[in-house]
Amino acid sequence: MKAFQLGLIGAAILAAIPSFASAQGDEESNFRRGNSTQLAAMVKARQYLFGPENVDERTGKVRDDKVIFSWFSVASFAVAAKGRVFLLDSYIYRLADKRAYVPVTVQDLVDVRPEFIFLGHGHGDHADNAAYIAKLTGATIYGAAEHCDAMRGDAVRIFGAGTTVKCESITTAGSAPGAEVKTLRPLAPDLCITAFKHVHSATVPVDPSLPPNPINAVRDPRVDTLFPPNPPPARDTRTNAGVGGPIPIMYQFTVGGSDFTFTWHDTAGPLKEQAPALLQFFTTLPKTDVELGAGVSIGEANNGVRDITMYVQALQPKVFFMTHTDNFNIGASMFYVQAIQRQFDIFNIPAADRPEIRGLHDPYDYVRPGLMTFNYRDDYWRDSRRGNRHSRYCSG
């Protein structure tokens, strides 16, 4: 823990010396050529999502010496890593045309001008708004082949016949979990990405080898009083999902020129029953420093948080951000955190091998970039146990 605190102190010192990215996407080049209204909106949105201290107030460039995550519900994040801006999922819980329970709107995500949108899977509580944002910003969507089919259909439904969006398929239609491991380089050399299909959460029989560990989550009863429902958005930007709904993609990002990695998955399936080889495959990846993973499961009534804890046990992150509890049991995230800690005991995971668990807790941690800002150059991320190697699938 002391080493981590020193890492935070180092990050704070670096924060006093702004370093802004020089490599930017075409959208920012267009802004510099004269679209002052869009540029002003981009600066405002990026300062809101990533912190004003991290964004150049003239150009909208984000500091390139940090990795910044800004959570905007469920498993959705706006990310600025080495100055590159992208989205992990695009869904907003309790969406409205004004900031509400989740203080983010679709217009905020358009204004932030992401270069890419990475989809974890195709259900509406993950892929809603993606085609709309991609069309208005020029962002490229990444996902399974089935996701791209849905995105193209969404673009036509939202904007009319002949409308297209850019979508790159990571896996082919119908492929098995783990069968296709791809290296993605749209953000190279700043970030390298390893991506592959895994397993969506599902109900399987009670695991007889483990004692029960019920979550017993209690929904916050104050929510509807403190945050009364808003009218639905004027424009329908939801996805039709289709067969790509339950197909999940897992991503590991390596920051170029560093030992810092982060892994993101917006669902956690019963790998023990449905894809046991993937648990072993996880150990062949480079070490994970920060894991962003779903803490809920469709099958949690039978096996609680067993599945997500198995992901954590195999990946061995230093920091784990638990997501997705808000639209399952609003305001009840702490019950899931406590259940995961009990599951660590059940699995007999040594204290030294357990990650620091950070919520995320709704609504308190929405759009709190200071909670999730990392100095990727810090020595804290070096790990002699698993080595500082890059995956053979991703040369870094």
Side-chain angles (χ1 to χ4, degrees):
M1 183 60 68
K2 289 183 179 179
F4 185 69
Q5 290 171 339
L6 289 173
L8 291 178
I9 292 171
I13 293 172
L14 281 174
I17 310 172
S19 173
F20 294 103
S22 58
Q24 300 293 323
D26 291 338
E27 291 297 321
E28 293 177 37
S29 298
N30 292 336
F31 295 157
R32 288 196 295 271
R33 285 196 290 268
N35 195 328
S36 58
T37 301
Q38 284 187 328
L39 175 58
M42 182 182 74
V43 171
K44 184 176 180 180
R46 289 187 174 186
Q47 288 184 330
Y48 177 63
L49 285 165
F50 302 127
E53 72 279 12
N54 296 317
V55 179
D56 188 295
E57 63 182 5
R58 296 174 296 106
T59 66
K61 294 177 182 177
V62 185
R63 297 179 61 142
D64 65 358
D65 58 347
K66 295 182 178 183
V67 174
I68 306 168
F69 302 95
S70 192
W71 181 51
F72 59 91
S73 81
V74 190
S76 301
F77 295 88
V79 185
K82 219 170 185 181
R84 308 296 291 274
V85 174
F86 52 93
L87 302 180
L88 304 176
D89 280 350
S90 51
Y91 173 73
I92 302 170
Y93 180 45
R94 291 193 162 196
L95 180 62
D97 285 329
K98 63 179 181 179
R99 294 172 184 169
Y101 187 76
V102 179
V104 171
T105 66
V106 174
Q107 188 60 49
D108 290 327
L109 302 184
V110 171
D111 289 341
V112 85
R113 314 306 292 194
E115 294 182 70
F116 302 96
I117 303 170
F118 298 95
L119 295 181
H121 67 280
H123 284 146
D125 57 345
H126 299 276
D128 274 4
N129 314 312
Y132 181 79
I133 296 166
K135 177 59 182 175
L136 294 187
T137 63
T140 299
I141 301 168
Y142 274 83
E146 294 89 342
H147 302 159
C148 287
D149 288 342
M151 292 298 104
R152 286 186 279 267
D154 291 342
V156 170
R157 180 183 57 80
I158 296 170
F159 293 101
T163 307
T164 61
V165 290
K166 293 180 286 186
C167 190
E168 295 289 337
S169 297
I170 299 168
T171 55
T172 57
S175 63
E180 300 171 328
V181 180
K182 298 292 181 65
T183 296
L184 311 179
R185 302 189 183 278
L187 291 164
D190 299 307
L191 293 100
C192 184
I193 309 164
T194 300
F196 52 91
K197 189 179 294 186
H198 63 120
V199 175
H200 192 279
S201 73
T203 298
V204 295
V206 173
D207 189 335
S209 70
L210 298 172
N213 179 21
I215 300 165
N216 294 327
V218 178
R219 184 183 189 275
D220 190 332
R222 304 167 300 168
V223 170
D224 291 328
T225 300
L226 295 173
F227 300 92
N230 284 285
R235 188 157 196 177
D236 184 358
T237 58
R238 293 174 295 178
T239 181
N240 283 330
V243 296
I247 295 175
I249 301 291
M250 188 168 175
Y251 301 80
Q252 186 179 60
F253 295 77
T254 300
V255 178
S258 81
D259 295 307
F260 183 79
T261 62
F262 59 94
T263 299
W264 172 68
H265 54 98
D266 65 6
T267 187
L271 298 180
K272 181 176 180 179
E273 291 81 11
Q274 296 186 356
L278 274 182
L279 286 171
Q280 178 59 36
F281 170 70
F282 288 172
T283 68
T284 73
L285 295 168
K287 49 89 177 176
T288 291
D289 295 312
V290 175
E291 178 186 356
L292 313 165
V296 303
S297 169
I298 293 173
E300 64 186 38
N302 283 355
N303 289 305
V305 294
R306 182 205 66 163
D307 296 339
I308 181 59
T309 309
M310 284 184 167
Y311 277 64
V312 176
Q313 185 179 34
L315 292 169
Q316 295 185 315
K318 292 188 175 181
V319 180
F320 172 63
F321 286 98
M322 183 197 66
T323 70
H324 212 325
T325 62
D326 47 354
N327 72 327
F328 261 54
N329 282 296
I330 195 166
S333 54
M334 185 54 71
F335 292 92
Y336 288 85
V337 171
Q338 293 168 345
I340 290 172
Q341 291 169 332
R342 293 192 301 268
Q343 199 73 39
F344 287 160
D345 293 336
I346 292 170
F347 285 165
N348 294 315
I349 299 175
D353 294 334
R354 300 183 185 190
E356 176 187 358
I357 302 178
R358 301 187 184 178
L360 296 157
H361 305 296
D362 63 296
Y364 315 104
D365 293 335
Y366 292 142
V367 194
R368 282 189 62 197
L371 178 69
M372 307 181 71
T373 295
F374 297 94
N375 172 8
Y376 59 81
R377 296 191 181 103
D378 198 283
D379 285 343
Y380 177 72
W381 307 119
R382 296 183 181 276
D383 189 338
S384 59
R385 293 176 304 167
R386 296 188 70 169
N388 294 320
R389 59 185 171 79
H390 294 298
S391 165
R392 63 181 180 274
Y393 304 108
C394 188
S395 58

